[in-house]
Amino acid sequence: MGSYVLGLREIDRTKIALAGGKGANLGELARLEGIQVPDGFCVTTKAYQEMTGNNGQLQGLIGQLSLLEIEDQAKISAVSGQIRELIVAIVIEAHIRQEIADYLAQLGEHGAYAVRSSATAEDLPAASFAGQQDTYLNITGQDSLYRHISKCWASLFTDRAVTYRMRNGFDQAHVHLAVVVQKMVFPEAAGIMFTADPITANRRVVSIDAGFGLGEALVAGLVTADNYKVRDGVIVDRQIAAKKLAVYAAKEGGTEERKLDAQRRSEQTLTDEQILRLARIGRTIESYFGQPQDIEWCRFAEQFFIVQSRPVTSLFPIPGVPDGKNHVYMSIGHQQMMTDAIKPLGLSFFLFLEELVLTAGGRLFMDFAHDLASPVGRLILKFTLAKMDPLMDSAVKTLMKRRDFVKSLARGKRYLRMGAGYFSWALLRQVIKIYRHNDPDLVAALIAWCDDYIDQLQQKIAPLSGEELFAFIETEYPKLTKALYEPRSMGMVMVGLYALNAVNKNMAKWLGKKSAADVLAQSLPNNITSAMGLELLDVADAARQYPAVLAYFEHADHADNDTFFADLARLEGGQAVSASIKAYLAKYGMRCAGEIDITRPRWHEQPTALVTMLLSNIKNFAPGARQAIFEQGLREAEQKRREFLDRLQQLPGGKQKARKAARMISILRNFIGYREYPKYFLVRCNWVIKQAMLHEAAQLVQKGVLQVKEDIYYLFFEELQEVVRTGRLDYGLIAKRKAEYQIYERLTPPRVMTSDGEVVFGAYDTANMPPGALAGIPVSAGVIEGRARVMLKMEDARVEQGDILVTTYTDPSWTPVFVSIKGLVTEVGGMMTHGAVVAREYGLPAVAGVENAVRLIKDGQKIRVNGTEGYVEIL
């Protein structure tokens, strides 16, 4: 036999290029003891390539397809349709038909067969591509079989398959199709089995969907299946569906729908013994492939046949190492307002800062099992989570109601304890001291200390290179933890937060005013993040007077960052504008979207990222807007302060209440702005270190060790240190890490998950919200209506006054956009995350933590944001 056709038992995972993902997996299963796979063979990709590769017209159309964007749906549909017509019209050559006929002779040429597509980009660990190509059942006769093989080849170019490949970054010209042909099983029941619960992602739960007849009725959504859940060999849940019809093989070939009689409609499809046996088969297959599987099965004459098994690619990896105990992992990204995947070098620097941090799926987590196992730890977490992220708090409360889960929590040293992180008696002493003295000069003194620290860091690192540089970073960076969590610094943050909560609590109690601190926190001193947004208005003022500069800015998103300033210098007014931008970058150029990842390109590296915001500022504001906006915020805050104090004076015990409120408002304004400074300090330190590492990477490029200097981002720090020491690098590791990162980018990290992989969801109390409103966290008071501008990238944020920004998260880099908008909606965040702090200072109604906001709210829709009660209405 030639390599145009292979028997299933001749195929294994090494033959994906010939047999496609489905064929390779079935070939593995066919040789696995105890697993029944229908006999069959595979018409390989070599046959597909021979039949299509020399067709010039066909290859030209595939080339056209590769040039289209995913938005070009009409063109995609037209070109794909032409390709399918051409492939179906191709006559399979005689020598390939002969090889197929030889295998049919062995299996029974007059039998019925299932004909299934198996693409080379299918059923892979990174992407399942489930259901993208076609399957044909109960095919009889050689001519009909050949015709349906051609139909399978053509289904490689269905609209859905082409679009799916575009979305996942697969080259249309480099994906080929094999066809699996198997003896038809005429099952009494069939269905799908997931060896990890597809709803909760719990790896200990097998979920089985089952219906009568062929499984295609379930796959096509024609019937509601029974669902059984099995955990540790015990059926823990069963849902028996009302099954009105089933799909069966038709006598003349193909399939047909048949109505079920009344008695069978409510009958359990599988017996309990069959459910448990099938679950054991699933665990066997999962163990063989080494990861959770999505399995298609069918039952005939008390035997289970497996007709497909693919990896479940949507599961988020589990942090930590299994130890048989229950762990509770909470997302750091949701707390830091950055849920994107982080490259290995970026993860390393977080691991330097926090020894208890865990990584999974390119994200950061902390295990709070030890705290939740302790009554004291639970109390601290309850207070912390309620303020930080109500959805996280709700999820943890759900877990704590499970007695068996709590009993098996891992026990050990708590994270939330005195002496851990920034919790210390020294911190407590500083909090008391700062609160009592209420001295705003303390903030200025600490900022000066931070500036001095960074100056010293620059001086120390400047002369270092090679192993000496990386040894210095390894020793010095952990000291940054001490500087970052310095008791004076954390003390100011905590005193500011206490004052914020106290003002809100007392004004609600005494005056019935919700979120009173929001107005009082406008135009704060020492808020480095809000200042960054306002100061870009001065840069806009420098640029607005030069038409040639503005014309260049309109196309600068296509400009080369390396020549940006040189290009500007050739224009009238360009040197003056360059000087203004460079002065801004000297103060803020180390910032960027997703800045907690040290590998992200900074504004210093990509100055064109500022251009869209500059154009928006020029369009939306008059000259001198920075000072006008800041002074207006000051007036509003002072007016509100006087109003509150005057009203308090009229109450019983009013003088004492007014005196207490005045002190708390003073503390609030003196210290809450500093909340933003520690992160600014961290990103400044990171920029100094990043520059030094990139200089070293450039040396490695010159030596031929690296291809491009940015490849160091895919190495953990210890690996990079070893490359510098040895001058050697395995580029296979870089390729592997880049592929992993692409997978991680597509995953959605959970707020809370367990060591079983279960994603635990929280919920808001929506009882007092309007019907259909999207619930969230009220983080900045006020109600505003306007046009929703749904944006995922800060550099694309061209907004108009009156727009409401809707996005996944906002970190400090988004602050310049806040100047132009009138409201904010984010999927991630809480009361004290950066977006909330800046929204309050700018007086923007804001709601955070609105799950799936960017999917549920469409760009351009009119919406109402209620930042006082915490919900969004689509109008």
Side-chain angles (χ1 to χ4, degrees):
M1 299 292 179
S3 57
Y4 294 108
V5 183
L6 293 172
L8 283 185
R9 293 179 184 273
E10 299 176 80
I11 300 169
D12 59 26
R13 278 177 283 189
T14 66
K15 292 186 172 63
I16 285 180
L18 273 176
K22 184 183 290 137
N25 288 351
L26 283 172
E28 293 280 348
L29 289 172
R31 293 177 299 175
L32 185 58
E33 187 175 349
I35 304 299
Q36 297 290 325
V37 175
D39 288 339
F41 58 89
C42 179
V43 182
T44 68
T45 57
K46 185 178 178 182
Y48 167 82
Q49 288 173 278
E50 178 152 328
M51 296 308 304
T52 62
N54 296 322
N55 188 311
Q57 184 182 1
L58 180 61
Q59 295 306 313
L61 288 169
I62 293 173
Q64 287 182 35
L65 205 58
S66 299
L67 297 175
L68 296 177
E69 300 292 335
I70 200 167
E71 295 80 14
D72 302 326
Q73 285 298 312
K75 292 181 181 178
I76 289 171
S77 183
V79 177
S80 298
Q82 290 178 271
I83 292 172
R84 292 195 300 274
E85 288 177 9
L86 278 174
I87 293 176
V88 169
I90 293 173
V91 177
I92 300 176
E93 293 189 9
H95 63 283
I96 298 176
R97 292 164 68 101
Q98 185 58 55
E99 284 197 32
I100 295 170
D102 290 344
Y103 273 94
L104 284 175
Q106 296 175 29
L107 297 173
E109 56 187 283
H110 299 297
Y113 291 89
V115 183
R116 301 173 181 272
S117 304
S118 178
T120 52
E122 178 182 69
D123 296 351
L124 306 177
S128 73
F129 287 74
Q132 299 306 311
Q133 283 78 229
D134 289 347
T135 288
Y136 300 96
L137 301 178
N138 195 27
I139 305 304
T140 58
Q142 285 192 24
D143 289 340
S144 179
L145 191 68
Y146 299 145
R147 188 166 60 254
H148 283 87
I149 289 171
S150 294
K151 284 186 174 183
C152 281
W153 285 341
S155 74
L156 187 60
F157 293 96
T158 60
D159 294 2
R160 65 179 183 272
V162 169
T163 302
Y164 195 90
R165 287 196 293 273
M166 284 181 174
R167 189 173 291 117
N168 286 275
F170 284 81
D171 189 331
Q172 306 290 349
H174 292 157
V175 177
H176 304 128
L177 195 89
V179 179
V180 174
V181 179
Q182 291 176 280
K183 292 185 72 172
M184 186 68 191
V185 175
F186 300 97
E188 295 137 12
I192 302 164
M193 169 169 53
F194 292 91
T195 62
D197 191 317
I199 305 300
T200 67
N202 193 323
R203 269 60 158 193
R204 291 176 66 182
V205 174
V206 175
S207 178
I208 299 170
D209 284 349
F212 294 116
L214 292 165
E216 270 54 36
L218 274 63
V219 175
L222 297 174
V223 299
T224 301
D226 288 359
N227 179 256
Y228 320 118
K229 295 189 188 296
V230 180
R231 178 177 176 136
D232 300 331
V234 177
I235 300 171
V236 294
D237 187 40
R238 74 186 87 222
Q239 302 291 328
I240 311 304
K243 300 172 283 292
K244 295 182 179 180
L245 58 84
V247 174
Y248 290 96
K251 288 183 179 179
E252 65 278 9
T255 61
E256 63 183 9
E257 295 178 18
R258 298 180 197 165
K259 289 184 178 180
L260 295 173
D261 57 45
Q263 182 180 349
R264 298 200 73 196
R265 289 180 182 182
S266 57
E267 184 181 322
Q268 185 169 310
T269 307
L270 297 178
T271 66
D272 286 4
E273 184 278 328
Q274 289 168 344
I275 293 167
L276 295 176
R277 180 152 50 98
L278 184 57
R280 289 194 295 271
I281 291 171
R283 287 295 185 217
T284 299
I285 294 171
E286 176 188 65
S287 176
Y288 180 76
F289 285 115
Q291 68 182 105
Q293 296 288 299
D294 168 2
I295 299 165
E296 292 183 24
W297 58 270
C298 57
R299 180 178 62 82
F300 175 74
E302 289 306 310
Q303 275 196 311
F304 284 106
F305 291 87
I306 304 302
V307 295
Q308 189 165 337
S309 184
R310 62 170 72 92
V312 182
T313 59
S314 59
L315 297 174
F316 199 87
I318 303 173
V321 179
D323 61 2
K325 296 290 185 179
N326 286 332
H327 294 263
V328 181
Y329 306 114
M330 298 190 204
S331 165
I332 293 175
H334 284 81
Q335 301 162 36
Q336 287 290 330
M337 294 288 278
M338 210 294 270
T339 54
D340 296 346
I342 300 175
K343 296 183 180 75
L345 190 60
L347 293 172
S348 294
F349 281 85
F350 260 93
L351 298 174
F352 277 140
L353 286 176
E354 292 281 5
E355 62 180 47
L356 296 178
V357 167
L358 300 168
T359 67
R363 273 72 169 200
L364 299 153
F365 294 86
M366 292 200 72
D367 180 7
F368 283 102
H370 300 161
D371 297 89
L372 290 169
S374 156
V376 175
R378 283 198 296 273
L379 190 63
I380 296 172
L381 260 181
K382 178 181 178 181
F383 175 79
T384 306
L385 290 178
K387 298 290 183 184
M388 181 180 67
D389 190 325
L391 285 178
M392 207 173 270
D393 181 48
S394 172
V396 170
K397 285 177 179 175
T398 298
L399 275 177
M400 292 300 98
K401 292 176 183 176
R402 303 178 189 173
R403 293 183 180 179
D404 290 343
F405 182 89
V406 174
K407 285 179 183 178
S408 297
L409 278 169
R411 283 167 166 76
K413 187 179 288 187
R414 299 197 324 270
Y415 174 72
L416 299 172
R417 70 184 197 283
M418 282 295 182
Y422 53 81
F423 294 99
S424 67
W425 293 113
L427 171 61
L428 184 59
R429 288 192 294 270
Q430 284 293 335
V431 167
I432 294 170
K433 179 180 177 181
I434 293 165
Y435 178 79
R436 283 180 176 171
H437 290 285
N438 188 24
D439 182 1
D441 290 341
L442 291 173
V443 178
L446 187 54
I447 288 174
W449 179 88
C450 290
D451 290 341
D452 184 59
Y453 181 98
I454 290 170
D455 288 342
Q456 290 183 40
L457 178 64
Q458 288 176 317
Q459 291 171 19
K460 290 176 184 176
I461 209 168
L464 303 179
S465 62
E467 292 183 61
E468 193 177 21
L469 169 66
F470 285 89
F472 170 78
I473 296 172
E474 186 178 34
T475 304
E476 188 70 18
Y477 204 81
K479 296 178 185 177
L480 184 58
T481 307
K482 188 175 181 180
L484 194 63
Y485 294 153
E486 205 270 349
R488 287 179 301 164
S489 178
M490 288 297 102
M492 288 180 193
V493 172
M494 295 185 77
V495 168
L497 292 178
Y498 173 76
L500 177 78
N501 290 323
V503 168
N504 279 335
K505 180 180 177 182
N506 289 335
M507 293 304 179
K509 178 181 176 183
W510 294 335
L511 300 177
K513 177 67 177 177
K514 281 188 175 183
S515 305
D518 292 359
V519 179
L520 297 169
Q522 291 186 57
S523 296
L524 293 166
N526 300 311
N527 188 325
I528 193 68
T529 303
S530 60
M532 176 177 68
L534 292 174
E535 287 176 30
L536 196 64
L537 290 168
D538 288 342
V539 182
D541 285 348
R544 71 172 70 243
Q545 57 190 305
Y546 299 111
V549 170
L550 298 184
Y552 175 68
F553 278 179
E554 287 291 345
H555 302 95
D557 53 341
H558 301 299
D560 186 337
N561 283 289
D562 294 332
T563 64
F564 176 69
F565 289 110
D567 294 341
L568 265 182
R570 290 191 286 270
L571 305 173
E572 182 184 358
Q575 290 187 345
V577 176
S578 290
S580 181
I581 294 174
K582 286 177 179 177
Y584 183 84
L585 292 175
K587 192 171 181 180
Y588 303 112
M590 74 296 297
R591 311 215 82 154
C592 69
E595 64 189 10
I596 65 172
D597 180 359
I598 199 173
T599 71
R600 289 287 187 98
R602 311 284 132 173
W603 291 343
H604 272 304
E605 299 166 284
Q606 289 188 344
T608 58
L610 297 173
V611 168
T612 301
M613 289 181 288
L614 284 171
L615 288 171
S616 291
N617 287 348
I618 292 166
K619 179 180 180 180
N620 295 330
F621 297 97
R626 178 183 69 83
Q627 191 66 25
I629 292 171
F630 188 79
E631 289 176 356
Q632 180 183 344
L634 275 178
R635 287 193 299 271
E636 290 178 1
E638 176 59 20
Q639 181 181 344
K640 190 59 68 174
R641 185 187 75 87
R642 288 179 181 174
E643 177 192 323
F644 287 156
L645 296 182
D646 288 346
R647 290 176 61 188
L648 288 172
Q649 293 276 7
Q650 312 305 315
L651 300 177
K655 287 186 178 180
Q656 183 180 355
K657 289 173 180 173
R659 189 164 51 249
K660 182 177 181 180
R663 174 172 168 76
M664 280 300 169
I665 293 170
S666 173
I667 293 172
L668 169 70
R669 289 195 59 81
N670 283 339
F671 297 112
I672 197 65
Y674 180 77
R675 159 70 178 82
E676 293 294 291
Y677 201 85
K679 189 171 187 182
Y680 175 66
F681 170 70
L682 175 63
V683 296
R684 289 174 72 194
C685 292
N686 281 350
W687 174 238
V688 173
I689 292 168
K690 180 179 182 177
Q691 286 176 287
M693 289 193 301
L694 284 176
H695 179 75
E696 195 64 32
Q699 302 299 312
L700 292 172
V701 171
Q702 287 185 356
K703 295 175 184 176
V705 178
L706 285 175
Q707 294 173 7
V708 293
K709 60 184 181 180
E710 289 79 12
D711 281 347
I712 66 171
Y713 298 157
Y714 295 94
L715 297 171
F716 286 97
F717 184 84
E718 297 80 4
E719 295 168 339
L720 177 56
Q721 195 173 19
E722 184 67 10
V723 170
V724 170
R725 188 185 71 80
T726 63
R728 293 195 300 271
L729 172 62
D730 175 10
Y731 250 91
L733 178 62
I734 300 294
K736 176 175 175 287
R737 292 276 171 77
K738 287 181 177 180
E740 287 176 343
Y741 182 73
Q742 288 181 337
I743 296 169
Y744 296 156
E745 280 187 302
R746 295 195 291 267
L747 296 177
T748 300
R751 275 181 165 84
V752 178
M753 70 187 304
T754 72
S755 42
D756 291 336
E758 179 184 0
V759 176
V760 188
F761 297 96
Y764 293 113
D765 181 2
T766 60
N768 297 319
M769 294 182 185
L774 307 179
I777 307 165
V779 296
S780 185
V783 179
I784 192 74
E785 292 182 8
R787 178 179 64 168
R789 292 310 308 270
V790 181
M791 287 177 253
L792 301 180
K793 294 181 180 179
M794 182 271 297
E795 54 267 31
D796 296 336
R798 187 172 293 199
V799 295
E800 297 180 7
Q801 284 191 316
D803 284 348
I804 298 171
L805 175 63
V806 180
T807 189
T808 48
Y809 65 82
T810 61
D811 59 10
S813 72
W814 284 80
T815 305
V817 181
F818 285 25
V819 176
S820 296
I821 61 175
K822 294 300 181 185
L824 174 68
V825 179
T826 64
E827 292 187 346
V828 178
M831 190 66 184
M832 285 315 300
T833 46
H834 302 276
V837 171
V838 178
R840 288 194 292 272
E841 181 160 351
Y842 284 1
L844 305 175
V847 180
V850 180
E851 292 203 290
N852 300 312
V854 299
R855 181 172 59 82
L856 297 173
I857 301 171
K858 307 303 180 187
D859 188 59
Q861 282 183 326
K862 187 177 182 182
I863 62 173
R864 179 186 296 128
V865 176
N866 190 319
T868 306
E869 301 295 337
Y871 60 82
V872 180
E873 295 174 273
I874 299 174
L875 304 178

